[in-house]
Amino acid sequence: MKRRLYPLVLAFLLAPTLAQEGKALYGQFCAGCHGAEAQGIPGAIPPLAGNPRALDETHVVQVVRQGLSGPLEVGGVTYNGVMPPMPQVSEAQARAIAQYLKGLSGAEPQGPAPVATQGDPALGRALYLGQRPLQNGGAPCQACHTVAGLGFLGGGSLGKDLTDAAKRLGGEAGLTALLTNPAFPVMREAYKGKPLTEAEAAALAAFLVQVSQETPRPSSLYLGRFLVAGVFLLGLLLIYQAAVWQLRPKSLAERIRSQLRR
Ligand code: HEC
Ligand code: HEC
């Protein structure tokens, strides 16, 4: 009779420990995308706090182990991204994380509301290009990114082309949230201790929205780049071949011919 109680008692004792462990695991595996507070990024990454589906342990474990893509809706905002499967998270760990997520909800209904600040696109452009320094000393975006129409072959290539970022990442509100709290490791590092101010993030978001509306065919930019790079490489190849041809060991016939010429 008593034996049957053991598992229950154990579960009762373990529950808080599991939630603690879940919190650490969440920080390690999930916070990079879903945010430290599980608040998500409006329009880009769904919140897990205050998300009814995140209360469903089976769903959470399945998403973690198998990934998820396709449209979904949380709190009136639609998402259509890709979460990769995470085989590095064991099923037991996924359950621990699910426990932690259960504890979160109720605390906060929907994460922070999207920032309402209206940005000034002209200011955003100057900040993007580095014509106006960022207040906290962060690097200008152009160091790593390109957008169409701002100088051919201009900008860095570490980050993505941002021409249509506004369309993919939830417009001005989504971008502002993303920029105040970047989810991408490289950018997070680059702006660590030098965050964008809210006004700067809003201005940059407004600028990117403007760019996405002004530039209908960013693919032609890529094509142009490929052409230039292709022609350049072809040139190099021809020079290389000519050099190899000049330096090749002379064949017997050629040696005889040049002997005869003397
Ligand atoms: C690389 C970024 C990334 C990481 C890391 C990540 N997620 Fe996700 N997650 C997403 C995206 C994007 C979606 C939305 C997918 C879609 O739109 O179909 C999502 C969706 C989900 C959903 C479904 C939400 C719903 O409303 O149904 C759950 C649950 C979830 N993630 C849990 C986790 C947990 C737990 C972890 C850590 C083990 C984690 N995610 C790590 C990006 C990520
Ligand atoms: C140190 C390099 C670096 C700097 C500086 C930088 N970024 Fe990024 N950014 C990245 C990387 C790397 C990624 C993520 C991987 C990718 O999208 O290529 C990224 C991703 C993004 C994304 C998401 C792109 C997408 O389509 O998924 C946006 C938007 C963005 N950056 C905007 C900005 C803005 C605006 C600035 C200036 C305030 C900026 N970045 C400065 C490196 C940088």
Side-chain angles (χ1 to χ4, degrees), residues 245 248-259 261:
W245 182 248
R248 77 194 187 285
K250 292 213 161 75
S251 69
L252 182 65
E254 275 173 307
R255 260 185 269 142
I256 295 174
R257 240 180 278 134
S258 54
Q259 293 266 313
R261 246 182 263 137

Side-chain angles (χ1 to χ4, degrees), residues 88-137:
Q88 68 272 37
V89 181
S90 74
E91 197 170 319
Q93 288 175 321
R95 286 194 194 286
I97 295 172
Q99 285 300 323
Y100 165 66
L101 292 176
K102 272 188 208 168
L104 275 187
S105 48
E108 210 183 351
Q110 252 160 59
V115 191
T117 327
Q118 270 290 313
D120 168 9
L123 172 64
R125 187 176 199 277
L127 292 169
Y128 176 91
L129 291 170
Q131 292 165 346
R132 280 261 312 248
L134 293 167
Q135 196 177 310
N136 293 327

Side-chain angles (χ1 to χ4, degrees), residues 26 31-32 34-39 100 104 181 188:
Y26 176 85
H34 288 282
E37 247 75 273
Q39 76 278 26
Y100 165 66
L104 275 187
N181 181 21
R188 196 182 265 281

Side-chain angles (χ1 to χ4, degrees), residues 191-205:
Y191 292 96
K192 200 186 208 168
K194 317 168 213 171
L196 298 173
T197 66
E198 203 160 294
E200 285 172 342
L204 283 161

